Amino acid sequence: MPDPVTVRPGAAERLSRMVQLPTVSAELEQRGLADFDRFRELVAELYPLVHEHLSFERVTDLGLLYRWRGRGDGDPIVLMAHYDVVPAVEGHGWTFPPFEGRIHDGSVWGRGTLDDKGPLLVLLEAVENLLADEFAPARDVYLSFGGNEESHGAAARAIADLFRERGITPWLVLDEGGAVVDAPLPFVRVPAAMVGVGEKGVVTLRLAARGEGGHASAPNAMTATARIARAVHRLSPNPFPKRMPRSMRTMLATFAPHTRGGARLLLRALTAMPWLTARVFARVGGEPAALVRTTVAATMLEGGTAPNVLPAHAAATLNLRVAVGETVGSTAARVRRVIRDPAVTVEVIEGSDPSPESPTDTAQFAAIAAAVARSYPEAITAPYLMMAATDSRWFHRFSPAVYRFAPLAMNASQRAAIHGVDESVTIDSLDRGERFHRARLTSLPA
């Protein structure tokens, strides 16, 4: 266990207050910066020792950067989180209002409890508790909090750019990502702390087509909406190749000793034959399939002004998560080839390439595993490839050790509630998350 310190009670109540501020970055134009500014002030109120002892720098309107000076001059670590959230509507099936921060039945409920105010809180809890014990880390520690991760992460990118301009290469970067789960794969039923060692890229494509328009009583053979519908249909089934990332092979090899019988034999076979594994995962569907190929999802459709008028213009927005081994450019090119319609334009709205995969045979990864052992002793630590994008991707351009792990326990229903309905985190998980960061910070090498 970490060295004993006095741990303040009331973490659940502090998280509740954070949830009550609707820091919805997608609604920033309508809502303004008021709740984001209040959040910064709330951090100072709830964590007075952090406010007193850590230097603070505001980077853009939404980036919060704190520096905790260490005893030595080794390369620093950067611990990341974001305080913005996705929208939530009370009438969409929430048991409790999404921005009430209700504490009920051993959990805190509300938007952001898991993504990402809960992980942000346990980090601040650990630092505050260690400061109360007059602890100083072995090397500098930066806390980097972004306020628009859910809207492409410009604040975190500016913070990463600042590090690069100042010639600071972090020894370790740790952001949100994996969690402690009870069943990491359908055929693996062991508690596991899943640490993201890389992440898929993300690109938004816009398909657009024009038509002649006119009255709906006499439609043309190929209207603008028909072209867009055909284009989207041609992208199903998934046209992208299957690949087995290095991190996936390491993950399967890590699980094998903790399984028995047929499951162990299956894991060994999948580890030895990556080409077969990619095909098996693709057939399983869901999260396993998303790990081995670029995914395509049509998320927005538009066109038409009236029910009896043929639209002169139609469009679809696609969200693609780009697999390791591909790029934004190659992904857009493949979409154009598969659609096979020069009358449909394919425009890249925004995108970032997949990140490199950080190694697992390093002191940094071992330190994460050691902190897991102190906070979740029942769990093994395994690497994996993240399917979602995080703010940490901006550090990957110049930092070799970037990992993604939120030290909270999440069952399947909790993971499904992220960006969904009834997001919640257990109070026990908050306690363990604080213990993880405390262990991580007290064992830093000089």
Side-chain angles (χ1 to χ4, degrees), residues 62-78:
L62 297 173
L64 313 180
L65 182 63
Y66 301 83
R67 182 185 181 185
W68 189 9
R69 292 188 180 274
R71 302 187 304 272
D73 57 1
D75 291 334
I77 70 169
V78 179

Side-chain angles (χ1 to χ4, degrees), residues 149-301:
E149 190 273 347
E150 303 290 3
S151 301
H152 310 301
R157 183 172 190 170
I159 290 173
D161 288 344
L162 201 63
F163 273 73
R164 201 170 190 179
E165 291 166 9
R166 293 173 178 174
I168 303 172
T169 302
W171 182 75
L172 166 69
V173 175
L174 184 63
D175 196 5
E176 64 168 334
V180 180
V181 300
D182 50 6
L185 290 172
F187 46 87
V188 178
R189 301 283 175 177
V190 293
M194 304 302 299
V195 179
V197 297
E199 62 185 54
K200 297 175 76 173
V202 59
V203 60
T204 300
L205 299 181
R206 177 180 168 84
L207 313 183
R210 293 194 174 275
E212 294 182 3
H215 200 283
S217 62
N220 300 319
M222 182 57 68
T223 63
T225 52
R227 283 192 182 280
I228 292 298
R230 185 177 67 179
V232 172
H233 179 70
R234 283 177 173 171
L235 293 168
S236 180
N238 188 313
F240 287 90
K242 311 169 191 69
R243 292 185 173 91
M244 190 64 179
R246 182 185 70 240
S247 57
M248 291 291 297
R249 296 183 68 181
T250 307
M251 179 189 76
L252 296 175
T254 301
F255 289 150
H258 301 276
T259 56
R260 297 179 180 179
R264 177 176 291 189
L265 292 175
L266 176 61
L267 284 172
R268 286 177 174 172
L270 293 175
T271 303
M273 295 181 285
W275 59 270
L276 175 63
T277 306
R279 283 154 179 78
V280 170
F281 275 43
R283 291 291 297 272
V284 169
E287 289 186 2
L291 288 170
V292 298
R293 70 194 326 178
T294 294
T295 57
V296 188
T299 54
M300 299 171 67
L301 301 171

Side-chain angles (χ1 to χ4, degrees), residues 171-172 362-373 436 439-440 443-445:
W171 182 75
L172 166 69
T362 61
Q364 293 93 326
F365 190 85
I368 295 170
V372 169
F436 169 88
R440 177 77 289 279
S443 60
L444 279 176

